[in-house]
Amino acid sequence: MAGTTLLDRWTTGGAVLLLAAALSACTSDDDGENGTQAAGAGTSESGGADDPTSPPTSAADSGDVVAFCEALVDVEASFAADLEIAGRVVPEEARVAALEEWNTTLRRQLRVVQDSTPAQVSHEVDALSRLVYAALTYGSLTAAQEEEVATVDDALDGYQLAECGNERVEATGVDYAYVGLPATVPPGVVAITFTNQGDEPHEIFVARLDDGVTMSAGQVMALPEEQAWSMFAPVGRSLAMPGDSETTFIRMAPGRYGVACLVPQGSTTPDGEGGGPPHHTLGMVTEFSVG
């Protein structure tokens, strides 16, 4: 997956908080007083197997590796792209509806993951599901849960890299550029391992440029934000702290793709943003083609 950062950033940002508020009427009354998560809490204790507000539990391990690999990519795509898009919908009533639709899709995808889980990662998948549902329900994770996300993510990344047979691409981030990203990538699911050799947190934000866009990715990113976002569709992102690597799995159709780092200069942690300009304005933007 995309490391702890995707789940962390959604839970510390406004999108999931808005989602949690929109879904408050749908969650169990036993989730906690005033909707606040107790330290170490995971999910509602009242939800049964058919309760859409509770995380699914592992089915008898079917070991359908192909279905499992595809379903994990779908879940990651929902976090990396669909929620970003839903959070930008206006007016607010439409945004809430988009976030509710995103929530329904994600819960359905998680159940597909559970139904096809191989035995060797069933514990990690149960933990992932519990943590995602905790984030959706409460809008935040405890420090212990954030550490658990990192552990689970590393284990699932390792399984996907070893068993899913995806095309692999490696890219390096420095202050402030990408190194080693190929000019052309084959279509299909691609595992992009991003290593941060810089002194600040860096991310690899990947978006497919709309057909008909002739400007470079750098030129698009230099446009006003609303205009820029109308010209591409996010497909994946992964953030790595200095000295770390993270892998994101992205399903790619033929076309042009832009890559940029949206982290502000001076940032120290995923939720401790600096006051400087986004790294892409300092040169950390490039592109590649698929096909």
Side-chain angles (χ1 to χ4, degrees), residues 109-127:
Q109 291 169 340
L110 283 172
R111 292 185 184 278
V112 175
V113 170
Q114 288 278 348
D115 288 344
S116 57
T117 300
Q120 57 265 50
V121 288
S122 60
H123 174 76
E124 287 79 8
V125 170
D126 283 343

Side-chain angles (χ1 to χ4, degrees), residues 18-19 21-23 86 89 91-102:
L18 175 61
L19 177 61
L23 298 175
V89 174
E92 184 172 342
E93 293 80 3
R95 183 184 303 117
V96 170
L99 290 169
E100 288 177 335
E101 181 179 359
W102 174 86

Side-chain angles (χ1 to χ4, degrees), residues 3 153-154 157 171 193-196 238-247:
D153 177 70
D154 287 344
D157 281 353
T193 298
F194 176 59
T195 300
N196 183 358
S238 184
L239 184 148
M241 299 301 291
D244 289 344
S245 296
E246 295 289 352
T247 300

